[in-house]
Amino acid sequence: MLQILKRELPSGYVRFAIRFSAALLVLLVIYKTYLWFTEQKEDLDWITYQVSFLSHKFAVALGIADCEFSCFMDGCRIGVEGKMINVLEGCNGIKLAFVYIAYLVGVNENTRSTIIQSIVGLMLIQLFNVFRIGMLVMLMYHGGEVYFFFIKYIFGVFIYGSIIVLWLIKPLIDKSLQRYVQT
Amino acid sequence: MKYLLVTLSLLISVGAVAQQKKDKPVMDNWFAKKPTAPPPASPPPPPNVPLDGGLIGLIAAGGAVGYKKYKDRKKED
């Protein structure tokens, strides 16, 4: 079976797949352990809190002056009374960043480039998530069917599509980074 | 005197039987206030805004992009 796989798959792919899976597993185990500890302390995890807090600030900046913000053990509620949204652990976008980083580790052609791209990617995904939740609070406030359309299609397609495009253009980013480091 | 004692003991026993039992619901009592309408339903919880719904799809996409990358490299070689 392994021989057939080795023959059929391009060289280096098995190595990539193992590194990709291992990196993802390690990141998820660390994250789950952290979540377990915060649960034991009967506290909300720091990432969800920060994402919710910044989203609230962004929603206020968008013009929702009476936007409320309250946190519980399982997540935070943001919005105007009666038109709130619930930001839970699964909404913080960190798992998407883990998959993005795991791919970079799997390919790993240049350690420095991988580290830079991981940090920048993580920050970009989190910034987009803050923008997404802030916009959803605003759409919920103004009501209408647009909210459901955005949450179901627009934001999902955009973030998942962006991650795949970043993976595809990784060789170009590597080249640009190398040029930048050399100069 | 005998009749008076019998009447008194009957009245006391009827009163004692008519008392509300601890383990019986209040509804059995004639004087208990019966509920007229069900309590108002609590408002629905606010909607969640999950982002990791397509995580498995993204992992599969990562595998596919990696496959394409190594296949293209094989062609170049």
Side-chain angles (χ1 to χ4, degrees):
Chain A
M1 183 73 182
L2 272 172
Q3 292 298 320
I4 297 166
L5 274 175
K6 268 190 176 177
R7 206 183 325 130
E8 292 297 318
L9 294 170
S11 63
Y13 183 72
V14 176
R15 185 176 152 273
F16 158 77
I18 292 167
R19 286 171 70 113
F20 178 53
S21 313
L24 186 61
L25 199 73
V26 167
L27 288 169
L28 285 176
V29 165
I30 293 169
Y31 180 58
K32 287 284 171 192
T33 312
Y34 166 69
L35 283 182
W36 185 81
F37 274 110
T38 51
E39 222 173 87
Q40 295 304 305
K41 284 197 287 182
E42 296 188 345
D43 203 1
L44 176 66
D45 67 287
W46 186 81
I47 303 155
T48 309
Y49 176 79
Q50 288 301 324
V51 167
S52 310
F53 176 75
L54 291 171
S55 303
H56 169 252
K57 290 276 174 206
F58 183 61
V60 172
L62 283 173
I64 307 167
D66 51 348
C67 184
E68 289 174 21
F69 174 65
S70 52
C71 285
F72 306 93
M73 235 188 85
D74 59 338
C76 295
R77 289 180 181 187
I78 313 167
V80 182
E81 192 59 49
K83 287 177 178 178
M84 290 194 135
I85 61 166
N86 207 4
V87 183
L88 303 175
E89 181 271 312
C91 315
N92 64 18
I94 196 78
K95 283 178 196 158
L96 295 193
F98 285 166
V99 179
Y100 174 71
I101 293 167
Y103 176 86
L104 299 181
V105 173
V107 173
N108 190 29
E109 282 152 350
N110 182 339
T111 312
R112 188 187 285 178
S113 171
T114 301
I115 292 168
I116 294 170
Q117 284 184 63
S118 298
I119 294 167
V120 172
L122 178 73
M123 283 164 70
L124 278 177
I125 290 168
Q126 292 307 320
L127 275 176
F128 174 76
N129 199 24
V130 167
F131 170 79
R132 178 186 78 103
I133 296 169
M135 287 295 286
L136 286 174
V137 170
M138 197 188 72
L139 290 170
M140 189 77 164
Y141 177 70
H142 291 295
E145 295 293 307
V146 192
Y147 167 82
F148 296 100
F149 185 71
F150 267 78
I151 192 171
K152 212 167 181 182
Y153 304 108
I154 302 290
F155 289 135
V157 168
F158 186 81
I159 187 80
Y160 283 86
S162 302
I163 291 172
I164 293 167
V165 168
L166 280 175
W167 284 340
L168 287 170
I169 62 164
K170 190 185 177 299
L172 294 173
I173 300 170
D174 284 338
K175 272 182 193 170
S176 308
L177 275 172
Q178 267 178 355
R179 213 175 298 152
Y180 179 75
V181 169
Q182 278 167 2
T183 52
Chain B
M1 187 64 185
K2 196 179 170 185
Y3 288 110
L4 188 72
L5 278 172
V6 170
T7 313
L8 263 173
S9 59
L10 267 173
L11 276 172
I12 289 165
S13 56
V14 166
V17 167
Q19 291 305 305
Q20 176 68 38
K21 298 281 190 302
K22 266 187 184 172
D23 54 340
K24 280 199 173 178
V26 183
M27 298 288 282
D28 285 354
N29 191 336
W30 269 29
F31 305 102
K33 197 177 176 184
K34 291 177 177 63
T36 49
S42 56
N48 302 332
V49 284
L51 191 61
D52 59 356
L55 205 67
I56 302 294
L58 191 67
I59 294 167
V65 172
Y67 181 79
K68 186 186 172 293
K69 184 186 170 74
Y70 285 98
K71 203 175 179 184
D72 290 349
R73 192 179 284 176
K74 197 179 177 182
K75 273 181 193 169
E76 282 170 19
D77 294 339

